[in-house]
Amino acid sequence: MYVFYYVPLGLDVGARKRPFVTYFLAVSCIILYILYRYKPVGTWWDFSLLIFQPGAPTIATAITHAFLHGGWLHLIGNIVYLIIFGRPLEDRLGSFRFYIVFTAAAAVGAYTHLVLTAIYSPEYLQYGVIGASGATSGILGAYLVRLHFSRVRVGYWIFMPLQGVNRAGRTYVPVVFAILFWFALQGVRTMMQLGTGGMRIAYSVHLGGFATGALLALGFGALARARAERHLFAAQRRFEAADWFGAQAEYVEHLAIDSGNAEAHAGLARAYVAAGDRVRSRGSYAAAVRISAEKGARDEAEAYFEEAARHIPNFALPEPLHIDIACGMERTLKYRSAMNAYERFVWNYPLSKDAPFVLLRMAVILEKRLEKPGEALACYARLAGEYASDQWAEYAQGEIARLGRAGPPIPAGAKK
């Protein structure tokens, strides 16, 4: 007896958004299985009406049969594949398209079984079909198109008693190999059934569902987006392996396809910094901040700015964007970060018409928020001295007089 068994445990790609449809489908399968298994005929509904009958097919039952299962192992197997592969796929395709893949694959898989059964084993047309195998096969087909560059972590068991092999473990394998091996296995099982004239297990639904999912993903343009993400994924792997120049090349390839990805610009900047190229990293960080700000992701833009400031001396953005980011930090009470941004602006753009206003904001933060009136006084003095013709110079003179009359600050806890 020889045994080779494996089960998927996870993937090396994740979902960036909560996959509501995946969880909805999984919960629906569980609830309907319990109702069907333990109360198949109710006072208000007969759940057996959801079964796909090859002898009397309908479009409705070609979809609803996917939510019923014959046993706990049957249910758990489909739920495992649905959740593991469905979450990242729904994130990439979108919830509506993902739902289309699930339902269309279930329907086409059911009719594929009907056709093959009618040709090779018509006596089995009287047996109903249940299970989400066709639908989950469609998810695998779409996944293979959209995320073919990823890896799946599998738990495996190999038992070869005559060779003295009894091995079990966990490992990552390329998802292309894992899914195509699974598809080939379903094809072999289908052919074996056809050869013996029996269709007791509907392996053929896997073939129809898989092909449907792959074709729909191609129709949705998933392959082009997969090329872009493949470069991004490869860049992240190379960066983790300290291959800075390889990571740079992959990020550049990705940005040639998707130039609006702020995180990819930031990743390229990190690769430049790691390789000691702070000149080019400056432009990549600036692009990451600009794109995030344009998309309204203020927190993300500010985080990229602060990261760039840590790595690049005197890092600055173009004047309007720099002012916008600095003021945004002040509005969100990030006073120390705002001070850092304001200081960089004055250092890089001392002749800017906005420099006096920036010095004014610095003075206010230093006195009111950071309780450093002496440093605030220095900002006012610089404003009044270097920008004497500016509209804020007179105000600065008044503040200098006020702070001068106040005298040095009293240490905390001292008596007046």
Side-chain angles (χ1 to χ4, degrees), residues 185-316:
L185 185 61
Q186 307 315 305
V188 169
R189 287 171 172 172
T190 301
M191 296 304 296
M192 290 176 63
Q193 283 190 334
L194 298 180
T196 59
M199 299 293 284
R200 294 177 180 84
I201 301 177
Y203 290 118
S204 52
V205 303
H206 302 166
L207 304 182
F210 183 88
T212 301
L215 290 173
L216 282 173
L218 289 171
F220 292 150
L223 191 58
R225 287 188 288 274
R227 293 194 189 101
E229 189 170 356
R230 177 173 61 83
H231 288 299
L232 182 61
F233 202 65
Q236 292 166 349
R237 284 180 177 172
R238 289 181 178 275
F239 189 90
E240 291 170 359
D243 180 5
W244 317 126
F245 296 104
Q248 292 172 24
E250 295 291 352
Y251 277 122
V252 169
E253 291 288 344
H254 171 81
L255 290 169
I257 302 172
D258 182 11
S259 60
N261 189 333
E263 178 56 29
H265 281 286
L268 178 58
R270 295 175 191 124
Y272 283 142
V273 169
D277 188 349
R278 287 179 168 77
V279 175
R280 286 195 287 181
S281 67
R282 184 184 299 268
S284 295
Y285 271 126
V289 175
R290 174 183 55 80
I291 292 169
S292 297
E294 289 174 352
K295 292 180 178 179
R298 302 288 310 186
D299 288 342
E300 185 178 271
E302 292 170 8
Y304 289 143
F305 180 90
E306 292 182 279
E307 181 181 330
R310 288 195 299 270
H311 295 302
I312 304 172
N314 301 320
F315 172 77

Side-chain angles (χ1 to χ4, degrees), residues 7-294:
V7 61
L9 302 176
L11 300 162
D12 61 353
V13 296
R16 295 156 292 189
K17 296 177 290 186
R18 193 176 297 278
F20 290 106
V21 171
T22 299
Y23 291 137
F24 168 77
L25 293 171
V27 171
S28 298
C29 286
I30 294 170
I31 292 174
L32 286 174
Y33 167 74
I34 294 172
L35 293 173
Y36 169 69
R37 179 69 181 273
Y38 298 105
K39 194 176 182 181
V41 180
T43 57
W44 57 278
W45 185 259
D46 182 359
F47 287 95
S48 64
L49 297 176
L50 304 179
I51 299 173
F52 179 76
Q53 302 290 346
T58 67
I59 295 295
T61 57
I63 296 174
T64 58
H65 82 283
F67 295 92
L68 303 179
H69 291 81
W72 281 107
L73 289 179
H74 187 202
L75 173 68
I76 292 171
N78 281 324
I79 294 298
V80 166
Y81 276 84
L82 171 61
I83 292 179
I84 289 178
F85 293 95
R87 289 181 300 172
L89 182 63
E90 180 184 346
D91 181 44
R92 271 71 174 184
L93 293 185
S95 297
F96 178 73
R97 289 181 173 182
F98 177 78
Y99 184 75
I100 293 297
V101 169
F102 183 91
T103 54
V108 174
Y111 277 95
T112 302
H113 173 74
L114 184 157
V115 171
L116 293 179
T117 302
I119 295 173
Y120 294 100
S121 303
E123 66 275 16
Y124 284 94
L125 288 174
Q126 60 182 312
Y127 293 97
V129 178
I130 57 175
S133 299
T136 54
S137 298
I139 290 172
L140 290 179
Y143 188 96
L144 185 62
V145 173
R146 181 60 181 84
L147 289 159
H148 57 269
F149 50 83
S150 63
R151 297 178 301 170
V152 56
R153 193 183 191 200
V154 299
Y156 64 88
W157 177 38
I158 303 174
F159 182 57
M160 302 170 64
L162 296 182
Q163 285 75 28
V165 175
N166 183 17
R167 184 179 304 164
R170 292 172 292 180
T171 187
Y172 277 102
V173 297
V175 79
V176 172
F177 170 79
I179 292 181
L180 291 183
F181 176 80
W182 172 90
F183 182 75
L185 185 61
Q186 307 315 305
V188 169
R189 287 171 172 172
T190 301
M191 296 304 296
M192 290 176 63
Q193 283 190 334
L194 298 180
T196 59
M199 299 293 284
R200 294 177 180 84
I201 301 177
Y203 290 118
S204 52
V205 303
H206 302 166
L207 304 182
F210 183 88
T212 301
L215 290 173
L216 282 173
L218 289 171
F220 292 150
L223 191 58
R225 287 188 288 274
R227 293 194 189 101
E229 189 170 356
R230 177 173 61 83
H231 288 299
L232 182 61
F233 202 65
Q236 292 166 349
R237 284 180 177 172
R238 289 181 178 275
F239 189 90
E240 291 170 359
D243 180 5
W244 317 126
F245 296 104
Q248 292 172 24
E250 295 291 352
Y251 277 122
V252 169
E253 291 288 344
H254 171 81
L255 290 169
I257 302 172
D258 182 11
S259 60
N261 189 333
E263 178 56 29
H265 281 286
L268 178 58
R270 295 175 191 124
Y272 283 142
V273 169
D277 188 349
R278 287 179 168 77
V279 175
R280 286 195 287 181
S281 67
R282 184 184 299 268
S284 295
Y285 271 126
V289 175
R290 174 183 55 80
I291 292 169
S292 297
E294 289 174 352

Side-chain angles (χ1 to χ4, degrees), residues 286-365:
V289 175
R290 174 183 55 80
I291 292 169
S292 297
E294 289 174 352
K295 292 180 178 179
R298 302 288 310 186
D299 288 342
E300 185 178 271
E302 292 170 8
Y304 289 143
F305 180 90
E306 292 182 279
E307 181 181 330
R310 288 195 299 270
H311 295 302
I312 304 172
N314 301 320
F315 172 77
L317 299 165
E319 287 187 45
L321 180 58
H322 196 117
I323 288 286
D324 181 52
I325 294 296
C327 290
M329 290 176 172
E330 184 179 357
R331 285 193 300 270
T332 54
L333 312 184
K334 301 174 184 175
Y335 298 119
R336 295 189 182 280
S337 297
M339 275 296 300
N340 183 25
Y342 284 139
E343 288 171 353
R344 288 171 180 273
F345 183 90
V346 174
W347 176 268
N348 286 278
Y349 303 111
L351 301 181
S352 171
K353 63 181 180 60
D354 292 315
F357 171 76
V358 170
L359 284 169
L360 176 66
R361 297 312 312 159
M362 290 172 61
V364 171
I365 292 174

